[in-house]
Coordinates of all heavy atoms in Angstrom, one line a residue:
V216 N 0.8 -1.2 0.0 CA 0.0 0.0 0.0 C 0.9 1.3 0.0 O 0.6 2.2 -0.7 CB -1.0 0.0 1.2 CG1 -1.7 1.3 1.3 CG2 -1.9 -1.1 1.1
V217 N 1.9 1.3 0.9 CA 2.8 2.4 1.0 C 3.6 2.6 -0.3 O 3.7 3.7 -0.8 CB 3.7 2.3 2.2 CG1 4.8 3.4 2.2 CG2 3.0 2.2 3.5
L218 N 4.1 1.5 -0.9 CA 4.9 1.7 -2.1 C 4.0 2.1 -3.3 O 4.4 3.0 -4.1 CB 5.5 0.3 -2.4 CG 6.4 0.2 -3.7 CD1 7.5 1.2 -3.5 CD2 6.9 -1.2 -3.9
G219 N 2.7 1.7 -3.3 CA 1.8 2.1 -4.4 C 1.5 3.6 -4.2 O 1.4 4.3 -5.2
T220 N 1.3 4.0 -3.0 CA 1.0 5.4 -2.7 C 2.1 6.3 -3.1 O 2.0 7.4 -3.8 CB 0.7 5.7 -1.3 OG1 -0.4 4.8 -0.9 CG2 0.3 7.1 -1.0
I221 N 3.4 5.9 -2.8 CA 4.6 6.7 -3.2 C 4.7 6.7 -4.7 O 5.0 7.7 -5.3 CB 5.8 6.1 -2.5 CG1 5.7 6.3 -1.0 CG2 7.1 6.7 -3.1 CD1 6.8 5.7 -0.2
T222 N 4.5 5.6 -5.3 CA 4.6 5.5 -6.8 C 3.6 6.4 -7.5 O 3.9 7.2 -8.4 CB 4.5 4.1 -7.3 OG1 5.5 3.3 -6.6 CG2 4.6 4.0 -8.8
A223 N 2.3 6.4 -7.0 CA 1.3 7.2 -7.6 C 1.6 8.7 -7.3 O 1.4 9.5 -8.2 CB -0.1 6.8 -6.9
Y224 N 2.0 9.0 -6.1 CA 2.4 10.4 -5.8 C 3.5 10.9 -6.8 O 3.5 12.0 -7.3 CB 2.8 10.6 -4.4 CG 3.2 12.0 -4.0 CD1 2.3 13.0 -3.9 CD2 4.6 12.3 -3.8 CE1 2.7 14.3 -3.6 CE2 5.0 13.6 -3.6 CZ 4.1 14.6 -3.4 OH 4.5 15.8 -3.2
T225 N 4.5 10.1 -6.9 CA 5.7 10.5 -7.8 C 5.2 10.6 -9.2 O 5.6 11.6 -9.9 CB 6.7 9.4 -7.7 OG1 7.2 9.2 -6.3 CG2 7.9 9.7 -8.5
A226 N 4.4 9.7 -9.7 CA 3.9 9.8 -11.1 C 3.0 11.1 -11.3 O 3.2 11.8 -12.3 CB 3.1 8.6 -11.5
Y227 N 2.2 11.3 -10.3 CA 1.3 12.5 -10.4 C 2.1 13.8 -10.4 O 1.9 14.7 -11.2 CB 0.3 12.5 -9.2 CG -0.5 13.7 -9.2 CD1 -1.7 13.8 -10.0 CD2 -0.3 14.7 -8.2 CE1 -2.5 15.0 -10.0 CE2 -1.1 15.8 -8.2 CZ -2.2 16.0 -9.0 OH -3.0 17.1 -9.0
T228 N 3.1 13.9 -9.4 CA 3.9 15.1 -9.3 C 4.7 15.3 -10.6 O 4.8 16.4 -11.1 CB 4.9 14.9 -8.1 OG1 4.1 14.8 -7.0 CG2 5.8 16.1 -8.0
F229 N 5.3 14.2 -11.2 CA 6.0 14.3 -12.4 C 5.2 14.8 -13.5 O 5.6 15.7 -14.3 CB 6.7 13.0 -12.8 CG 7.6 13.0 -13.9 CD1 8.8 13.6 -14.0 CD2 7.1 12.5 -15.2 CE1 9.6 13.6 -15.1 CE2 7.8 12.5 -16.3 CZ 9.1 13.1 -16.3
G230 N 4.0 14.3 -13.7 CA 3.1 14.7 -14.8 C 2.7 16.1 -14.7 O 2.6 16.8 -15.7
I231 N 2.3 16.5 -13.5 CA 1.9 17.9 -13.3 C 3.0 18.9 -13.5 O 2.9 19.9 -14.1 CB 1.3 18.1 -11.8 CG1 0.0 17.4 -11.7 CG2 1.1 19.6 -11.5 CD1 -1.1 17.8 -12.6
T232 N 4.2 18.5 -13.1 CA 5.4 19.3 -13.3 C 5.7 19.5 -14.8 O 6.0 20.6 -15.3 CB 6.6 18.8 -12.6 OG1 6.3 18.7 -11.3 CG2 7.8 19.6 -12.9
Q233 N 5.6 18.4 -15.5 CA 5.8 18.5 -17.0 C 4.7 19.3 -17.7 O 5.0 20.1 -18.6 CB 5.8 17.1 -17.6 CG 7.0 16.2 -17.2 CD 8.3 16.8 -17.6 OE1 8.4 17.3 -18.8 NE2 9.3 16.9 -16.8
W234 N 3.5 19.2 -17.2 CA 2.4 20.0 -17.8 C 2.5 21.5 -17.6 O 2.4 22.3 -18.4 CB 1.1 19.5 -17.2 CG -0.1 20.3 -17.6 CD1 -0.7 20.3 -18.8 CD2 -0.9 21.1 -16.7 NE1 -1.8 21.1 -18.8 CE2 -2.0 21.6 -17.5 CE3 -0.8 21.4 -15.4 CZ2 -2.9 22.5 -17.0 CZ3 -1.8 22.3 -14.9 CH2 -2.8 22.8 -15.7
R235 N 3.0 21.8 -16.3 CA 3.2 23.2 -16.0 C 4.4 23.8 -16.6 O 4.4 25.1 -16.9 CB 3.3 23.4 -14.4 CG 2.0 23.2 -13.7 CD 2.0 23.8 -12.4 NE 2.0 25.2 -12.4 CZ 3.0 26.0 -11.8 NH1 4.0 25.4 -11.2 NH2 3.0 27.3 -12.0
T236 N 5.4 23.0 -16.9 CA 6.7 23.5 -17.5 C 6.4 24.2 -18.9 O 7.0 25.2 -19.2 CB 7.7 22.4 -17.6 OG1 7.9 21.9 -16.3 CG2 9.0 22.9 -18.2
Q237 N 5.4 23.7 -19.6 CA 5.2 24.3 -20.9 C 4.7 25.7 -20.8 O 5.0 26.6 -21.6 CB 4.1 23.5 -21.7 CG 2.7 23.4 -21.1 CD 1.8 22.5 -21.9 OE1 2.1 22.2 -23.0 NE2 0.7 22.2 -21.2
F238 N 3.8 26.0 -19.8 CA 3.3 27.3 -19.5 C 4.5 28.3 -19.1 O 4.5 29.4 -19.6 CB 2.3 27.3 -18.4 CG 1.1 26.6 -18.8 CD1 0.6 25.5 -18.0 CD2 0.3 26.9 -19.9 CE1 -0.6 24.8 -18.4 CE2 -0.8 26.2 -20.3 CZ -1.3 25.1 -19.5
R239 N 5.4 27.8 -18.3 CA 6.5 28.6 -17.9 C 7.4 28.9 -19.1 O 8.0 30.0 -19.2 CB 7.3 28.0 -16.7 CG 6.5 27.8 -15.5 CD 6.1 29.0 -14.8 NE 7.3 29.7 -14.3 CZ 7.1 30.9 -13.6 NH1 6.0 31.5 -13.4 NH2 8.2 31.4 -13.1
R240 N 7.7 27.9 -19.9 CA 8.5 28.1 -21.0 C 7.9 29.1 -22.0 O 8.6 30.0 -22.5 CB 8.8 26.8 -21.7 CG 9.8 26.0 -21.0 CD 10.1 24.7 -21.8 NE 11.1 23.9 -21.1 CZ 11.2 22.6 -21.2 NH1 10.4 22.0 -22.0 NH2 12.1 22.0 -20.4
D241 N 6.6 29.0 -22.2 CA 5.9 30.0 -23.1 C 6.1 31.4 -22.5 O 6.3 32.4 -23.2 CB 4.5 29.6 -23.3 CG 4.3 28.5 -24.3 OD1 5.2 28.1 -25.0 OD2 3.2 27.9 -24.2
M242 N 5.9 31.5 -21.2 CA 5.9 32.8 -20.5 C 7.3 33.4 -20.6 O 7.5 34.6 -21.0 CB 5.5 32.6 -19.1 CG 5.4 34.0 -18.3 SD 4.9 33.8 -16.6 CE 6.5 33.3 -16.0
N243 N 8.3 32.6 -20.4 CA 9.7 33.1 -20.5 C 10.0 33.5 -21.9 O 10.7 34.5 -22.2 CB 10.7 32.1 -20.0 CG 10.6 31.9 -18.5 OD1 10.1 32.7 -17.8 ND2 11.1 30.7 -18.0
R244 N 9.6 32.8 -22.9 CA 9.9 33.0 -24.3 C 9.2 34.4 -24.7 O 9.9 35.2 -25.3 CB 9.4 31.9 -25.3 CG 9.6 32.2 -26.7 CD 9.0 31.1 -27.6 NE 7.6 30.8 -27.3 CZ 6.6 31.5 -27.8 NH1 6.8 32.5 -28.6 NH2 5.3 31.2 -27.5
L245 N 8.0 34.6 -24.3 CA 7.3 35.8 -24.7 C 7.8 37.0 -23.9 O 7.9 38.1 -24.5 CB 5.8 35.6 -24.4 CG 5.1 34.7 -25.4 CD1 3.7 34.4 -24.9 CD2 5.1 35.3 -26.8
E246 N 8.3 36.8 -22.7 CA 8.9 37.9 -21.9 C 10.2 38.3 -22.6 O 10.5 39.5 -22.8 CB 9.2 37.5 -20.5 CG 9.8 38.6 -19.7 CD 10.1 38.2 -18.3 OE1 10.3 37.0 -18.0 OE2 10.2 39.1 -17.5
T247 N 11.0 37.4 -23.1 CA 12.2 37.7 -23.8 C 12.0 38.4 -25.1 O 12.7 39.3 -25.4 CB 13.0 36.3 -24.0 OG1 13.3 35.7 -22.8 CG2 14.3 36.6 -24.8
Q248 N 10.9 37.9 -25.8 CA 10.6 38.6 -27.0 C 10.1 40.1 -26.8 O 10.6 41.0 -27.5 CB 9.4 37.8 -27.7 CG 9.0 38.4 -29.0 CD 7.8 37.6 -29.6 OE1 7.0 37.0 -28.8 NE2 7.7 37.5 -30.8
A249 N 9.3 40.3 -25.8 CA 8.9 41.6 -25.5 C 10.0 42.5 -25.0 O 10.2 43.7 -25.5 CB 7.8 41.6 -24.4
S250 N 10.9 42.0 -24.2 CA 12.1 42.7 -23.8 C 13.0 43.1 -25.0 O 13.6 44.2 -25.1 CB 12.9 42.0 -22.8 OG 12.1 41.8 -21.6
G251 N 13.2 42.1 -25.9 CA 14.0 42.3 -27.0 C 13.5 43.4 -27.9 O 14.2 44.2 -28.4
R252 N 12.2 43.4 -28.1 CA 11.6 44.5 -28.9 C 11.7 45.8 -28.4 O 12.0 46.8 -29.1 CB 10.1 44.1 -29.2 CG 10.0 43.0 -30.2 CD 8.6 42.8 -30.6 NE 8.6 41.7 -31.6 CZ 7.5 41.1 -32.0 NH1 6.3 41.3 -31.5 NH2 7.6 40.1 -32.9
V253 N 11.6 46.0 -27.1 CA 11.7 47.3 -26.5 C 13.1 47.8 -26.5 O 13.4 48.9 -26.8 CB 11.0 47.4 -25.1 CG1 11.8 46.7 -24.0 CG2 10.7 48.8 -24.7
V254 N 14.0 46.9 -26.2 CA 15.4 47.2 -26.3 C 15.9 47.6 -27.7 O 16.6 48.6 -27.9 CB 16.3 46.1 -25.7 CG1 17.8 46.3 -26.0 CG2 16.1 46.0 -24.2
D255 N 15.4 46.8 -28.6 CA 15.7 47.1 -30.0 C 15.2 48.5 -30.4 O 15.9 49.3 -31.1 CB 15.2 46.0 -30.9 CG 15.6 46.2 -32.4 OD1 16.8 46.5 -32.6 OD2 14.8 46.0 -33.3
S256 N 14.0 48.8 -30.1 CA 13.4 50.1 -30.4 C 14.2 51.3 -29.7 O 14.3 52.3 -30.3 CB 11.9 50.1 -29.9 OG 11.2 49.2 -30.7
L257 N 14.6 51.0 -28.5 CA 15.2 52.1 -27.8 C 16.7 52.3 -28.3 O 17.1 53.4 -28.4 CB 15.3 51.8 -26.3 CG 14.0 52.0 -25.5 CD1 14.1 51.5 -24.1 CD2 13.4 53.3 -25.6
L258 N 17.3 51.2 -28.7 CA 18.7 51.3 -29.3 C 18.6 52.0 -30.6 O 19.6 52.7 -31.0 CB 19.3 50.0 -29.4 CG 19.8 49.4 -28.1 CD1 20.3 48.0 -28.3 CD2 20.8 50.2 -27.4
N259 N 17.5 51.8 -31.4 CA 17.4 52.4 -32.7 C 16.4 53.5 -32.7 O 15.6 53.7 -33.7 CB 17.0 51.3 -33.7 CG 18.0 50.2 -33.8 OD1 19.2 50.5 -34.0 ND2 17.6 49.0 -33.7
Y260 N 16.4 54.3 -31.7 CA 15.4 55.3 -31.5 C 15.4 56.3 -32.7 O 14.4 56.7 -33.2 CB 15.7 56.1 -30.2 CG 14.8 57.3 -30.0 CD1 13.6 57.2 -29.6 CD2 15.3 58.6 -30.2 CE1 12.7 58.3 -29.4 CE2 14.5 59.7 -30.1 CZ 13.2 59.5 -29.6 OH 12.4 60.6 -29.5
E261 N 16.6 56.7 -33.1 CA 16.7 57.7 -34.1 C 16.1 57.1 -35.5 O 15.4 57.8 -36.2 CB 18.1 58.1 -34.4 CG 18.7 59.0 -33.3 CD 19.3 58.2 -32.2 OE1 19.4 56.9 -32.3 OE2 19.6 58.7 -31.1
T262 N 16.4 55.9 -35.7 CA 15.9 55.2 -36.9 C 14.4 55.1 -36.9 O 13.7 55.4 -37.9 CB 16.5 53.8 -37.1 OG1 17.9 54.0 -37.1 CG2 16.1 53.2 -38.4
V263 N 13.9 54.8 -35.7 CA 12.4 54.6 -35.7 C 11.7 56.0 -35.9 O 10.7 56.1 -36.5 CB 12.1 54.0 -34.2 CG1 10.6 54.1 -34.0 CG2 12.5 52.6 -34.1
Q264 N 12.3 57.0 -35.3 CA 11.8 58.3 -35.5 C 11.9 58.9 -36.9 O 11.0 59.5 -37.4 CB 12.4 59.4 -34.5 CG 12.1 59.1 -33.0 CD 10.7 59.1 -32.7 OE1 9.9 59.9 -33.2 NE2 10.2 58.1 -32.0
Y265 N 13.1 58.6 -37.5 CA 13.3 59.0 -38.9 C 12.3 58.4 -39.9 O 11.8 59.1 -40.7 CB 14.7 58.6 -39.3 CG 15.1 59.0 -40.7 CD1 15.4 60.4 -41.0 CD2 15.1 58.1 -41.7 CE1 15.7 60.8 -42.2 CE2 15.5 58.5 -43.0 CZ 15.8 59.8 -43.3 OH 16.1 60.2 -44.5
F266 N 12.0 57.2 -39.7 CA 11.0 56.5 -40.6 C 9.6 56.6 -40.1 O 8.7 55.9 -40.6 CB 11.4 55.1 -40.8 CG 12.6 54.9 -41.7 CD1 13.9 54.6 -41.1 CD2 12.5 55.2 -43.1 CE1 15.0 54.5 -41.9 CE2 13.7 55.1 -43.9 CZ 14.9 54.7 -43.3
N267 N 9.4 57.3 -39.0 CA 8.1 57.5 -38.4 C 7.4 56.2 -38.1 O 6.2 56.0 -38.4 CB 7.2 58.4 -39.4 CG 6.0 59.1 -38.6 OD1 6.0 59.1 -37.4 ND2 5.0 59.4 -39.4
N268 N 8.1 55.3 -37.4 CA 7.6 54.0 -37.1 C 7.3 53.9 -35.6 O 7.2 52.7 -35.1 CB 8.6 52.9 -37.5 CG 8.4 52.6 -39.0 OD1 7.4 52.9 -39.6 ND2 9.4 51.9 -39.5
A269 N 7.1 54.9 -34.9 CA 6.9 54.8 -33.5 C 5.6 54.1 -33.2 O 5.6 53.2 -32.3 CB 6.9 56.2 -32.8
S270 N 4.6 54.4 -33.9 CA 3.3 53.7 -33.6 C 3.4 52.2 -34.0 O 2.8 51.3 -33.3 CB 2.2 54.3 -34.4 OG 2.4 54.3 -35.8
Y271 N 4.1 51.9 -35.0 CA 4.3 50.4 -35.4 C 5.1 49.7 -34.4 O 4.7 48.6 -34.0 CB 5.0 50.4 -36.8 CG 5.4 49.0 -37.2 CD1 4.5 48.0 -37.6 CD2 6.8 48.6 -37.1 CE1 4.9 46.8 -37.9 CE2 7.1 47.3 -37.4 CZ 6.2 46.4 -37.9 OH 6.5 45.1 -38.2
E272 N 6.1 50.3 -33.9 CA 6.9 49.7 -32.8 C 6.2 49.6 -31.5 O 6.3 48.5 -30.8 CB 8.3 50.4 -32.6 CG 9.2 50.4 -33.7 CD 9.8 48.9 -34.0 OE1 9.9 48.2 -33.0 OE2 10.1 48.7 -35.1
S273 N 5.4 50.5 -31.3 CA 4.5 50.5 -30.0 C 3.5 49.4 -30.2 O 3.3 48.6 -29.2 CB 3.8 51.8 -29.9 OG 2.9 51.8 -28.8
S274 N 2.9 49.2 -31.3 CA 1.9 48.1 -31.5 C 2.6 46.7 -31.4 O 2.0 45.8 -30.9 CB 1.1 48.3 -32.8 OG 1.9 48.0 -33.9
R275 N 3.8 46.6 -32.0 CA 4.5 45.3 -31.9 C 4.8 45.0 -30.4 O 4.7 43.8 -30.0 CB 5.9 45.4 -32.6 CG 5.8 45.2 -34.1 CD 7.1 45.3 -34.8 NE 8.0 44.3 -34.2 CZ 9.3 44.3 -34.3 NH1 9.9 45.3 -35.0 NH2 10.0 43.3 -33.9
Y276 N 5.2 46.0 -29.6 CA 5.5 45.8 -28.2 C 4.3 45.4 -27.5 O 4.3 44.6 -26.6 CB 6.2 47.0 -27.6 CG 6.4 46.9 -26.1 CD1 7.3 45.9 -25.7 CD2 5.8 47.7 -25.2 CE1 7.6 45.8 -24.3 CE2 6.0 47.6 -23.9 CZ 6.9 46.6 -23.4 OH 7.1 46.5 -22.1
E277 N 3.2 46.1 -27.8 CA 1.9 45.9 -27.1 C 1.4 44.5 -27.4 O 0.9 43.8 -26.5 CB 0.9 46.9 -27.6 CG -0.5 46.8 -26.9 CD -0.4 47.3 -25.5 OE1 0.4 48.1 -25.1 OE2 -1.2 46.7 -24.6
T278 N 1.6 44.0 -28.6 CA 1.2 42.6 -28.9 C 2.1 41.6 -28.2 O 1.5 40.6 -27.6 CB 1.4 42.4 -30.5 OG1 0.6 43.3 -31.2 CG2 1.0 41.0 -30.9
S279 N 3.4 41.9 -28.1 CA 4.2 41.0 -27.3 C 3.9 41.0 -25.9 O 3.8 39.9 -25.2 CB 5.7 41.4 -27.5 OG 6.1 41.2 -28.8
L280 N 3.6 42.1 -25.3 CA 3.2 42.3 -23.9 C 1.9 41.5 -23.6 O 1.8 40.9 -22.6 CB 3.1 43.7 -23.5 CG 3.2 44.1 -22.1 CD1 4.5 43.5 -21.5 CD2 3.2 45.5 -21.9
K281 N 0.9 41.6 -24.5 CA -0.3 40.9 -24.3 C -0.1 39.4 -24.3 O -0.8 38.7 -23.6 CB -1.4 41.3 -25.4 CG -2.0 42.7 -25.1 CD -3.0 43.1 -26.2 CE -3.5 44.5 -25.9 NZ -4.5 44.8 -27.0
G282 N 0.7 39.0 -25.2 CA 1.0 37.5 -25.3 C 1.7 37.1 -24.0 O 1.4 36.0 -23.4
Y283 N 2.6 37.9 -23.5 CA 3.3 37.6 -22.2 C 2.3 37.6 -21.1 O 2.3 36.6 -20.2 CB 4.4 38.6 -21.9 CG 4.9 38.5 -20.5 CD1 5.6 37.4 -20.1 CD2 4.5 39.4 -19.5 CE1 6.1 37.3 -18.8 CE2 4.9 39.3 -18.2 CZ 5.7 38.2 -17.8 OH 6.2 38.1 -16.5
Q284 N 1.4 38.5 -21.0 CA 0.4 38.6 -20.0 C -0.6 37.3 -20.0 O -0.9 36.8 -18.9 CB -0.4 39.8 -20.0 CG 0.3 41.1 -19.6 CD -0.4 42.4 -19.9 OE1 -1.5 42.4 -20.6 NE2 0.0 43.5 -19.4
K285 N -0.9 36.9 -21.2 CA -1.8 35.7 -21.3 C -1.0 34.5 -20.8 O -1.6 33.7 -20.1 CB -2.2 35.6 -22.7 CG -3.1 34.4 -23.0 CD -3.4 34.3 -24.4 CE -4.3 33.0 -24.7 NZ -4.6 32.8 -26.1
A286 N 0.2 34.4 -21.2 CA 1.0 33.2 -20.8 C 1.3 33.2 -19.3 O 1.2 32.2 -18.6 CB 2.3 33.2 -21.5
A287 N 1.5 34.4 -18.7 CA 1.7 34.5 -17.2 C 0.4 34.2 -16.5 O 0.5 33.5 -15.5 CB 2.2 35.9 -16.9
L288 N -0.7 34.5 -17.0 CA -2.0 34.2 -16.4 C -2.2 32.7 -16.5 O -2.6 32.1 -15.5 CB -3.1 34.9 -17.1 CG -4.5 34.9 -16.5 CD1 -4.4 35.4 -15.0 CD2 -5.5 35.6 -17.3
Q289 N -1.9 32.1 -17.6 CA -2.0 30.6 -17.7 C -1.1 29.9 -16.7 O -1.5 28.9 -16.1 CB -1.7 30.1 -19.1 CG -2.8 30.4 -20.1 CD -2.4 29.9 -21.4 OE1 -1.2 29.9 -21.8 NE2 -3.4 29.5 -22.3
A290 N 0.1 30.4 -16.6 CA 1.0 29.8 -15.7 C 0.6 29.9 -14.2 O 0.7 29.0 -13.4 CB 2.4 30.4 -15.8
Q291 N 0.0 31.0 -13.9 CA -0.5 31.3 -12.5 C -1.8 30.4 -12.3 O -1.9 29.8 -11.2 CB -0.8 32.8 -12.3 CG -1.2 33.1 -10.9 CD 0.0 33.0 -10.0 OE1 1.2 33.0 -10.4 NE2 -0.3 32.8 -8.7
Q292 N -2.6 30.3 -13.3 CA -3.8 29.5 -13.1 C -3.6 28.0 -13.0 O -4.4 27.3 -12.5 CB -4.8 29.8 -14.2 CG -5.5 31.2 -14.1 CD -6.4 31.5 -15.3 OE1 -6.3 30.9 -16.3 NE2 -7.2 32.5 -15.1
S293 N -2.5 27.6 -13.6 CA -2.2 26.2 -13.6 C -1.8 25.7 -12.2 O -1.6 24.5 -12.0 CB -1.1 25.8 -14.5 OG 0.2 26.3 -14.2
L294 N -1.6 26.6 -11.2 CA -1.3 26.2 -9.9 C -2.6 25.6 -9.3 O -2.8 24.9 -8.5 CB -0.8 27.3 -9.0 CG 0.5 27.9 -9.4 CD1 0.8 29.2 -8.6 CD2 1.6 26.9 -9.1

């Protein structure tokens, strides 16, 4: 009985950990993407302003941020 319980607990814990890991990986990937976009825009500030692409860069960042927020919410809800 004890060995069965330990085995079941170990299998359950391993399965849940693997399932939750996908949410954390997505969240980390989207956070890196959003950070990269904002850093790229700030480093190339003059170019963005010269070509009048501030609104485009802002919308790209906003899209990345929304994706990150969605992934973070999924990761939190998976608890």
